[in-house]
Amino acid sequence: AQKVTQAQTEISVVEKEDVTLDCVYETRDTTYYLFWYKQPPSGELVFLIRRNSFDEQNEISGRYSWNFQKSTSSFNFTITASQVVDSAVYFCALSTGGYNKLIFGAGTRLAVHP
Amino acid sequence: DTAVSQTPKYLVTQMGNDKSIKCEQNLGHDTMYWYKQDSKKFLKIMFSYNNKELIINETVPNRFSPKSPDKAHLNLHINSLELGDSAVYFCASSPTGVYNEQFFGPGTRLTVL
């Protein structure tokens, strides 16, 4: 069975702090993709990153970075020097092929305070 | 230049009514999806169409019926609405093929009274 677990329900930080959002996944497939989406208070879902199971290189995009570790089935997301605009619900998702069905975690609500 | 659009954005209706939500994408994608986000923000796929053909049909009550008149449109019709149908419904699209990024619409907040 495929499953995505985001154990942190809510995180609260003060602006400029670094914060890491955890994502642990379960799948028996050897080929799969992992995604992160952001849902700001306005409600839309914004794609952040896609990573395939064969590429364990960390990725950095501005203040965002992702750490993929197959050994621990984790795909964690770090925001460096957080800003109020980073306040949102962040979803980790898994796709194991077939018909590109996304299996979402429960989401982590991040609140960044000034 | 909205990529994936949904109408209406808000829908308030009485129990027992029938309602539809429309979705259109101008990205040229072949695959479209409907997701449901419940009050706890949990997102779950409901349906997916590829080139007007139903390819994913999760465990969804028969009262929900998707319809794809062409590959740019995927509508969701709900019969005999129940209180538990209250949620935000998201439409999404992606290019054909596995593992592709899905582009989401703005969502339709359905409230059943």
Side-chain angles (χ1 to χ4, degrees), chain A residues 4 6-7 24 33-35 38-39 43-46 58 65 67-68 72-74 77 80 89 98 102 108-109 111:
Chain A
V4 176
Q6 295 180 255
V24 173
Y33 271 69
L34 295 161
F35 301 77
K38 173 182 180 180
Q39 187 173 40
E44 72 273 23
L45 284 158
V46 179
N58 289 337
S65 62
N67 181 282
F68 176 31
T72 55
S73 297
S74 65
F77 172 31
T80 303
V89 180
L102 280 178
T108 296
R109 182 180 298 276

Side-chain angles (χ1 to χ4, degrees), chain A residues 56-97:
Chain A
E56 286 193 73
Q57 275 195 331
N58 289 337
E59 174 128 359
I60 298 174
S61 176
R63 296 183 297 106
Y64 294 172
S65 62
W66 290 268
N67 181 282
F68 176 31
Q69 292 196 341
K70 286 178 78 168
S71 60
T72 55
S73 297
S74 65
F75 186 42
N76 297 337
F77 172 31
T78 297
I79 302 174
T80 303
S82 59
Q83 300 176 0
V84 173
V85 293
D86 296 327
S87 297
V89 180
Y90 291 86
F91 292 95
C92 181
L94 168 70
S95 176
T96 58

Side-chain angles (χ1 to χ4, degrees), chain A residues 15-65:
Chain A
E15 224 174 1
K16 298 184 184 174
E17 282 186 37
D18 298 348
V19 57
T20 295
L21 310 181
D22 297 334
C23 173
V24 173
Y25 62 92
E26 293 176 31
T27 180
R28 292 185 179 177
D29 292 335
T30 54
T31 302
Y32 52 88
Y33 271 69
L34 295 161
F35 301 77
W36 276 94
Y37 281 85
K38 173 182 180 180
Q39 187 173 40
S42 49
E44 72 273 23
L45 284 158
V46 179
F47 166 79
L48 295 177
I49 190 171
R50 177 183 66 169
R51 176 51 52 98
N52 76 60
S53 52
F54 300 108
D55 181 4
E56 286 193 73
Q57 275 195 331
N58 289 337
E59 174 128 359
I60 298 174
S61 176
R63 296 183 297 106
Y64 294 172
S65 62

Side-chain angles (χ1 to χ4, degrees), chain A residues 31-33 35 37 39 42-45 47 50 89 91 95-102 104-106 109, chain B residues 9 31 33 35 37 40-43 45 48 55-56 58 90 94-95 97-106:
Chain A
T31 302
Y32 52 88
Y33 271 69
F35 301 77
Y37 281 85
Q39 187 173 40
S42 49
E44 72 273 23
L45 284 158
F47 166 79
R50 177 183 66 169
V89 180
F91 292 95
S95 176
T96 58
Y99 295 114
N100 201 26
K101 180 170 74 172
L102 280 178
F104 283 90
R109 182 180 298 276
Chain B
K9 188 165 174 61
T31 307
Y33 314 78
Y35 286 84
Q37 185 173 44
K40 295 185 179 179
K41 295 283 192 180
F42 188 67
L43 272 159
I45 191 164
S48 177
I55 56 173
I56 295 176
E58 292 291 289
F90 285 97
S94 72
V98 296
Y99 314 123
N100 285 318
E101 168 198 346
Q102 295 181 22
F103 295 80
F104 284 80

Side-chain angles (χ1 to χ4, degrees), chain B residues 13-109:
Chain B
T13 188
Q14 300 287 332
M15 257 188 350
N17 285 349
D18 302 339
K19 289 292 178 186
S20 292
I21 305 171
K22 295 186 176 181
C23 178
E24 176 180 3
Q25 54 95 5
N26 63 6
L27 297 167
H29 293 162
D30 295 319
T31 307
M32 296 183 73
Y33 314 78
W34 277 111
Y35 286 84
K36 178 180 180 180
Q37 185 173 44
D38 64 22
S39 58
K40 295 185 179 179
K41 295 283 192 180
F42 188 67
L43 272 159
K44 192 173 190 314
I45 191 164
M46 301 172 68
F47 303 103
S48 177
Y49 271 74
N50 179 262
N51 277 319
K52 303 195 298 176
E53 180 185 347
L54 181 66
I55 56 173
I56 295 176
N57 186 353
E58 292 291 289
T59 309
V60 177
N62 290 339
R63 300 181 294 103
F64 289 79
S65 53
K67 282 191 172 52
S68 181
D70 55 62
K71 71 176 191 178
H73 295 84
L74 179 62
N75 304 323
L76 183 65
H77 188 76
I78 316 170
N79 289 328
S80 304
L81 279 155
E82 300 177 357
L83 293 176
D85 298 332
S86 295
V88 180
Y89 292 85
F90 285 97
C91 177
S93 73
S94 72
T96 297
V98 296
Y99 314 123
N100 285 318
E101 168 198 346
Q102 295 181 22
F103 295 80
F104 284 80
T108 295
R109 181 175 294 278

